[in-house]
Amino acid sequence: MEDLPEALVTEILKRITRTSDLNSLSLVSKQLYKIEGNQRGAIRVGSGLCTATEALTSLCARFTNLQKLEIDYSGWIPEHGNQLDNKGLFVFSSQCSSLIDLTLSFCSHIDDSGLGCLAHCKKLVSLRLNSTPQITSVGLFSVAVGCISLSALHLIDCEKIDSVEWLEYLGRDGLLEELVVKNCKGINHHDFLKFGSGWMKLQKFEFERKRDIYDFSLGCEYYDPSYNAHSMDIYDFCCESLKNLRLAHIKTWPEIGLRVVLGKCKALENLWLEYVRALNDNDMIALSRSCSNLKSISLWLNLQRHCSEDGYCETRTSFTDNSLYALALNCPMLQIIDLRFTGCSRDWPSEIGFTQEGFLALIRSCPIRVLVLNTANFFDDKGMKALSSSPHLETLELILCHWVTDAGMRFIAHTPCLSNLTLRACHKVTDVGVGELGRAHKLESLVIEHCGRVSLQAAQGVTKSVHYSSECSEALMKKIGLIDEY
């Protein structure tokens, strides 16, 4: 190995992707140690890292072309040794001149002073802060001012970030293309209206509000199903570059807040709305009219109280068939649909604002490839029969679909392009229905979990790739929405 040209050794090392293999090779010879260090572009450190200044300096000297650094102390306890602190972060920021991507996770010994050191990282493009309890808005503002190349910012479980001067500054600069904020108690969805012209270049935006115990109750508020937040353009900003939008656990009433974004995203391709309160058909209609490029939509809906001006009140999910008809009419590129209905009783199908007729109108109008239905109490074997005619459907996942039986399996088995089928907690499907799938010889993969009347033997006879579980594990309960995911 020592006799090989350095260029050839470098090319060999580039083809090795596993970090453990690279670490082992670097111990073989001084030549490999040097070359491997020079070409390594990313490292991940945490518990066990020697935080002495000399050791960190030596580490930076070895990885001279380091571009991506992840510092992760998840699961850390004092017995693991000292955490990296402000001084240690200063060593990395001042000596890793090529650093463009930095992640700090569960770093409890780094505060605003340490974060201010990142001003040395003029090439820093992406910063992720995950559970950094000492970081406040002051440190974040120093990043906004000093990191002039920053285009992606993720903030997750950052409890002390509250004021949004940093957000206003980044908005004036207008360089961010990706902004993700999750579970930050001091940040409200209304704050993002101060982002101003920053919305112009943004391509990905996620906001998930930190929840409290009241999020899991129906509440006593009534929402107006006819309210139109898009009738007047009261916010002077546009987000025409936005392609990926996710809003979760926010309340858009009585204030308007981020719901106005739904009518401004002309380039939107992927949308996730997860338990957003007070939305109605007008929001979805406005979205569909502006988003003809929409390819994927995920709607996780729970029960809410609605009361119209004439005094009629009802308890149901946010949207009705009018939303489905609008999507069918205006979004011809829609390929992926994920619908989850939480807290809805199988005995009261009207609690879901959608009907099977409206749902099938959407399916027939768009080239749907992937479909996920969770607790869709309006959907039954007649729906399965109609679904079996979908010419593009490749992947189908049914979760807690109580009215789908063996007859539905017989229909869906003949769907032209269906290759992947998942059944979770579908208790009216039996070995007989699964046998219909096997006789069709079309599936490439089958997942069956907690379907009490389906046996392992029947599942194994369908296709070569089969995952089967009869138990209702905690992981499965999270998937089907029986317990909270967080």
Side-chain angles (χ1 to χ4, degrees):
M1 204 71 170
E2 296 285 352
D3 298 328
L4 293 177
E6 183 172 317
L8 179 58
V9 176
T10 300
E11 188 60 36
I12 293 173
L13 290 175
K14 286 180 180 179
R15 298 173 184 270
I16 300 174
T17 56
R18 291 178 56 182
T19 302
S20 58
D21 292 338
L22 289 170
N23 290 338
S24 298
L25 273 173
S26 67
L27 301 176
V28 172
S29 69
K30 290 183 178 180
Q31 181 194 29
L32 285 174
Y33 182 86
K34 178 182 177 182
I35 296 175
E36 193 275 330
N38 287 338
Q39 79 155 29
R40 183 86 72 95
I43 62 172
R44 181 175 182 269
V45 297
S47 298
L49 174 69
C50 181
T51 58
T53 301
E54 296 79 7
L56 295 176
T57 302
S58 177
L59 187 67
C60 294
R62 179 186 172 193
F63 301 111
T64 56
N65 295 310
L66 190 64
Q67 294 183 315
K68 184 176 182 179
L69 171 63
E70 181 179 356
I71 303 173
D72 185 359
Y73 283 101
S74 55
W76 177 86
I77 56 176
E79 286 74 14
H80 291 160
N82 294 329
Q83 279 199 20
L84 190 79
D85 58 14
N86 294 336
K87 292 181 180 179
L89 187 58
F90 173 77
V91 173
F92 279 116
S93 61
S94 60
Q95 298 195 25
C96 299
S97 59
S98 300
L99 193 64
I100 61 174
D101 190 316
L102 174 64
T103 299
L104 302 178
S105 296
F106 301 93
C107 297
S108 57
H109 293 182
I110 294 176
D111 59 22
D112 292 336
S113 176
L115 205 63
C117 297
L118 298 182
H120 294 284
C121 303
K122 300 302 181 184
K123 296 181 180 179
L124 191 67
V125 172
S126 175
L127 175 63
R128 294 172 177 84
L129 301 179
N130 181 13
S131 297
T132 50
Q134 303 303 321
I135 302 298
T136 74
S137 299
V138 174
L140 208 54
F141 185 80
S142 67
V143 169
V145 174
C147 299
I148 58 177
S149 300
L150 193 68
S151 64
L153 178 63
H154 290 222
L155 305 175
I156 302 172
D157 287 310
C158 296
E159 292 289 331
K160 289 190 175 181
I161 295 176
D162 44 25
S163 60
V164 291
E165 288 86 356
W166 57 273
L167 184 64
E168 294 179 29
Y169 188 92
L170 289 171
R172 288 195 300 269
D173 204 30
L175 294 178
L176 276 191
E177 297 179 3
E178 186 173 313
L179 178 59
V180 175
V181 179
K182 299 179 183 179
N183 300 326
C184 295
K185 186 176 181 180
I187 303 176
N188 192 287
H189 72 100
H190 304 100
D191 294 330
F192 294 98
L193 298 176
K194 301 175 183 178
F195 194 42
S197 58
W199 285 99
M200 178 74 74
K201 195 173 181 180
L202 207 61
Q203 296 184 27
K204 176 180 179 179
F205 176 73
E206 291 187 32
F207 178 71
E208 179 175 336
R209 182 182 63 84
K210 188 173 181 65
R211 285 161 283 170
D212 52 43
I213 58 174
Y214 300 106
D215 281 33
F216 304 99
S217 62
L218 182 58
C220 58
E221 291 183 286
Y222 284 82
Y223 306 123
D224 182 359
S226 63
Y227 178 73
N228 190 349
H230 311 274
S231 58
M232 294 186 297
D233 192 4
I234 62 175
Y235 295 107
D236 184 22
F237 69 88
C238 64
C239 41
E240 295 185 356
S241 299
L242 198 64
K243 294 183 178 180
N244 299 284
L245 173 63
R246 177 177 178 264
L247 303 177
H249 302 280
I250 68 174
K251 183 174 70 171
T252 64
W253 181 267
E255 303 91 349
I256 295 176
L258 283 177
R259 75 192 297 175
V260 297
V261 174
L262 297 175
K264 295 175 176 284
C265 309
K266 294 183 179 180
L268 194 67
E269 295 181 0
N270 304 296
L271 173 67
W272 297 264
L273 296 177
E274 300 174 11
Y275 308 119
V276 179
R277 290 185 177 272
L279 294 181
N280 59 40
D281 288 331
N282 289 322
D283 297 293
M284 192 61 66
I285 291 170
L287 173 109
S288 69
R289 287 173 177 171
S290 65
C291 304
S292 59
N293 293 324
L294 191 67
K295 296 178 181 178
S296 171
I297 187 169
S298 178
L299 302 177
W300 292 12
L301 308 175
N302 52 7
L303 290 177
Q304 300 176 20
R305 301 183 192 276
H306 302 269
C307 193
S308 59
E309 292 182 353
D310 60 5
Y312 176 71
C313 298
E314 59 181 337
T315 299
R316 59 167 173 81
T317 55
S318 298
F319 305 113
T320 71
D321 283 352
N322 290 332
S323 292
L324 299 178
Y325 294 140
L327 291 170
L329 179 64
N330 300 313
C331 301
M333 300 176 65
L334 191 61
Q335 300 176 29
I336 301 174
I337 298 177
D338 178 2
L339 301 179
R340 173 188 284 198
F341 306 95
T342 300
C344 301
S345 170
R346 74 179 78 178
D347 299 321
W348 298 95
S350 60
E351 288 185 337
I352 297 177
F354 300 150
T355 68
Q356 185 159 261
E357 180 183 359
F359 170 72
L360 293 177
L362 176 60
I363 295 298
R364 294 187 182 106
S365 301
C366 302
I368 304 301
R369 293 188 301 102
V370 178
L371 175 62
V372 180
L373 295 177
N374 189 331
T375 322
N377 296 327
F378 58 81
F379 188 71
D380 58 19
D381 290 336
K382 292 181 180 178
M384 292 287 275
K385 182 178 181 180
L387 204 59
S388 68
S389 301
S390 301
H392 305 283
L393 187 64
E394 299 172 1
T395 298
L396 175 63
E397 184 172 344
L398 301 178
I399 305 166
L400 284 169
C401 289
H402 302 292
W403 307 116
V404 173
T405 72
D406 291 339
M409 293 297 105
R410 183 165 61 251
F411 292 131
I412 208 68
H414 300 287
T415 309
C417 296
L418 187 67
S419 58
N420 307 293
L421 176 63
T422 297
L423 303 175
R424 292 191 171 102
C426 294
H427 298 298
K428 291 193 176 182
V429 177
T430 73
D431 285 354
V432 175
V434 172
E436 297 286 347
L437 300 172
R439 280 186 284 276
H441 301 292
K442 286 191 174 184
L443 292 183
E444 295 178 4
S445 71
L446 174 66
V447 176
I448 293 182
E449 294 182 343
H450 193 49
C451 296
R453 301 173 68 186
V454 178
S455 67
L456 174 61
Q457 183 178 4
Q460 288 177 330
V462 174
T463 186
K464 291 183 179 180
S465 177
V466 174
H467 170 79
Y468 177 89
S469 176
S470 59
E471 298 180 357
C472 189
S473 63
E474 181 178 340
L476 175 60
M477 292 178 72
K478 288 180 179 179
K479 288 180 182 177
I480 65 181
L482 292 180
I483 62 176
D484 191 57
E485 293 192 42
Y486 300 93

